[in-house]
Amino acid sequence: MKIYNTLTRRKEEFVPLEPGKVKMYVCGPTVYNFIHIGNARPMIVFDTVRRYFEYKGYQVDYVSNFTDVDDKIIKKAIEEGVDADTISKRYIAECKKDMEGMNVLPATRHPLATEEICGMLEMIQTLIDKGHAYVAEDGTVYFRVKSFKDYGKLSHKNLEDLQSGFREIKVTGEEGKEDPNDFVLWKPKKEGEPFWESPWCNGRPGWHIECSVMAKKYLGDQIDIHAGGEDLIFPHHENEIAQSESANEKPFATYWMHNAFLNIDNRKMSKSLGNFFTVREISEKYDLQVLRFFMLSAHYRSPLNFSAELMEASKNGLERILTAAQRLRELEKKTAGEALSKEETELAQQLQALTEKYEGAMDDDFNTADAISALFEIVKLANSTALESSSHGYVKLLMDRVEELCQVLGILTERKEQVLDEEIEKMIQERQAARKAKNFALADEIRNKLLEMGIVLEDTREGVKWKRA
Ligand code: AMP
Ligand code: ZN
């Protein structure tokens, strides 16, 4: 298997640290709102990477954090008049619902920054003891970038260039820095913010330290793959390398993988630009499998532009696969005889060749776009050669293969019943009509039916409101 490594800017053969095992860390979202579909791209992409490793027989240890202490979370908490914990807990729960909808497998572990403060204090102390970090007068702890000779190796920036870029910029509040490139490991609390005690000041961690600490705690000093969106290369991942390699004195991750952006009108989709759709919004119009299929229709290192047309095309493509799978499932019940005929044996060889094409694409830096093309060829083969007169053995072979290859992409071949807004509205109107006609039994029946579909009704003064449970 070949993986493009941001560190070396080359595709490299995958060699695990421990045979048969993959240790993988993926930077997770900051939880202050519903995730948008840009955030969903790394989730889907790296979940597919994980699934393919598992298909190849590896045991994957997959760790992905939630950043649950951060300026944006605190800001949102102040706006709502609740504490930061309430905000982060709420959006972690919502994020997990979205992940389930997109068939993203739960990580082996989902650590939270606020539960790992102890480990952060320890690593910061180690960095201070080794001369890689220092405490400023106000208690802020900075990483001393100059002490780490490999700084810039991931982002391919050199320290001198960074230096001259910073020369003119003086940031208030950072007067205690020895060097403009130094970054925060720990900072003093501000009024009304959550804080923890530390030997340096009551405060909270900088953003980068949590990932170094969680990767070490749950996967060890050295890991196989570290991943995230390409905006994380600098400074986040560069800083993680500086922290981990200075503290542990070992190379941190062997392979660094980064997905390209999900764009809209050729600009990065982001919360700050306001040009985003949340996963939840998309789920009101589409089964989230369609979103997943759309994401995988491009190679993860290519920018992907979101559009209604491409979503429709993905919906149709997925539909073709699900229809073929359903037909095979029905044929499986109708056919008999395990032995393949001579002609079927030849077709089975074609199926094998197409499977190898699929695997070849995935082996080449997880080219899901080409893998999906191979899958479509298999679907075509199934549609034209699996018949009522086929042997059960041949139909089953096709069915199992389609199922298995879909599973790698995280696509379930059994259709989920997608309840659309219009259907719900129609049922609500029927219930209103029943109530008007004093047919309360029918009204209750409709309400219960909606409940079974996961729709909760609320009778308010402004009329009936509904939400998905
Ligand atoms: P954040 O919550 O901003 O830290 O982002 C969580 C993850 O989503 C990171 O891996 C980001 O790189 C990734 N991400 C954010 N926006 C996009 C986007 N428009 N396209 C692809 N990945 C993104
Ligand atoms: Zn991270």
Side-chain angles (χ1 to χ4, degrees), residues 330-343:
E330 278 157 21
L331 276 178
E332 239 194 308
K333 288 186 211 133
K334 289 188 199 153
T335 47
E338 292 314 308
L340 272 60
S341 69
K342 187 163 165 286
E343 197 194 342

Side-chain angles (χ1 to χ4, degrees), residues 25 27 65 211 226 236-237 240:
Y25 186 96
C27 293
N65 64 314
C211 293
H226 196 124
H236 185 54
H237 287 164
E240 277 192 46

Side-chain angles (χ1 to χ4, degrees), residues 17 32 85 111 247 282 329 368 427 452 456 466:
L17 290 162
Y32 63 101
D85 207 43
I282 298 298
R329 220 173 280 124
T368 51
M427 286 175 74
E452 274 169 30
V456 184
W466 62 270

Side-chain angles (χ1 to χ4, degrees), residues 118-392:
C118 238
M120 297 191 219
L121 297 179
E122 253 174 57
M123 189 178 275
I124 296 171
Q125 190 59 55
T126 305
L127 290 169
I128 295 173
D129 294 345
K130 292 188 175 183
H132 290 293
Y134 57 93
V135 190
E137 232 167 73
D138 66 349
T140 307
V141 187
Y142 291 105
F143 185 91
R144 183 178 281 126
V145 165
K146 270 206 188 111
S147 74
F148 182 64
K149 67 171 181 14
D150 286 338
Y151 195 80
K153 70 174 170 183
L154 180 72
S155 52
H156 307 275
K157 291 180 192 295
N158 85 35
L159 212 47
E160 274 98 68
D161 291 349
L162 287 172
Q163 211 89 47
S164 57
F166 269 124
R167 203 158 289 152
E168 301 307 319
I169 311 169
K170 284 239 161 51
V171 184
T172 46
E174 298 198 338
E175 295 83 2
K177 276 188 183 184
E178 287 176 3
D179 184 296
N181 288 310
D182 293 351
F183 58 89
V184 172
L185 298 172
W186 188 265
K187 58 185 168 191
K189 70 167 188 137
K190 289 198 196 115
E191 201 45 48
E193 288 186 358
F195 69 93
W196 290 264
E197 285 177 10
S198 86
W200 320 293
C201 64
N202 287 343
R204 61 185 170 101
W207 170 34
H208 316 297
I209 192 74
E210 69 182 71
C211 293
S212 285
V213 167
M214 293 172 185
K216 180 182 171 80
K217 177 164 170 190
Y218 296 108
L219 297 169
D221 288 357
Q222 287 185 273
I223 67 175
D224 294 294
I225 298 174
H226 196 124
E230 68 181 9
D231 53 337
L232 299 188
I233 297 174
F234 188 87
H236 185 54
H237 287 164
E238 196 67 66
N239 292 354
E240 277 192 46
I241 293 178
Q243 295 165 158
S244 295
E245 299 196 353
S246 299
N248 305 329
E249 298 182 37
K250 283 184 198 139
F252 183 24
T254 319
Y255 306 92
W256 287 84
M257 293 180 72
H258 294 99
N259 63 272
F261 290 143
L262 177 77
N263 294 330
I264 190 155
D265 300 325
N266 298 309
R267 287 176 80 190
K268 181 196 173 192
M269 184 177 285
S270 76
K271 288 258 162 71
S272 53
L273 289 174
N275 60 349
F276 64 89
F277 290 106
T278 62
V279 171
R280 203 55 63 86
E281 282 169 329
I282 298 298
S283 77
E284 279 156 23
K285 199 147 179 242
Y286 294 99
D287 177 345
L288 288 178
Q289 290 216 119
V290 175
L291 180 67
R292 181 165 183 128
F293 199 64
F294 159 75
M295 295 281 185
L296 298 178
S297 67
H299 185 256
Y300 76 92
R301 283 190 292 115
S302 305
L304 178 58
N305 210 38
F306 180 81
S307 71
E309 295 77 51
L310 280 181
M311 281 296 282
E312 283 302 312
S314 298
K315 184 178 167 193
N316 295 338
L318 184 63
E319 199 56 33
R320 229 186 320 148
I321 296 172
L322 302 192
T323 305
Q326 192 176 1
R327 199 181 73 94
L328 287 172
R329 220 173 280 124
E330 278 157 21
L331 276 178
E332 239 194 308
K333 288 186 211 133
K334 289 188 199 153
T335 47
E338 292 314 308
L340 272 60
S341 69
K342 187 163 165 286
E343 197 194 342
E344 285 174 346
T345 308
E346 278 167 23
L347 292 171
Q349 278 165 7
Q350 276 185 44
L351 174 64
Q352 190 51 32
L354 290 171
T355 305
E356 282 163 23
K357 199 167 164 188
Y358 175 104
E359 289 174 352
M362 291 299 279
D363 283 340
D364 182 15
D365 193 31
F366 306 95
N367 193 332
T368 51
D370 287 357
I372 288 173
S373 305
L375 181 58
F376 276 131
E377 286 184 67
I378 292 175
V379 163
K380 210 166 136 198
L381 181 75
N383 287 346
S384 58
T385 63
L387 309 165
E388 289 199 14
S389 56
S390 301
S391 71
H392 178 260

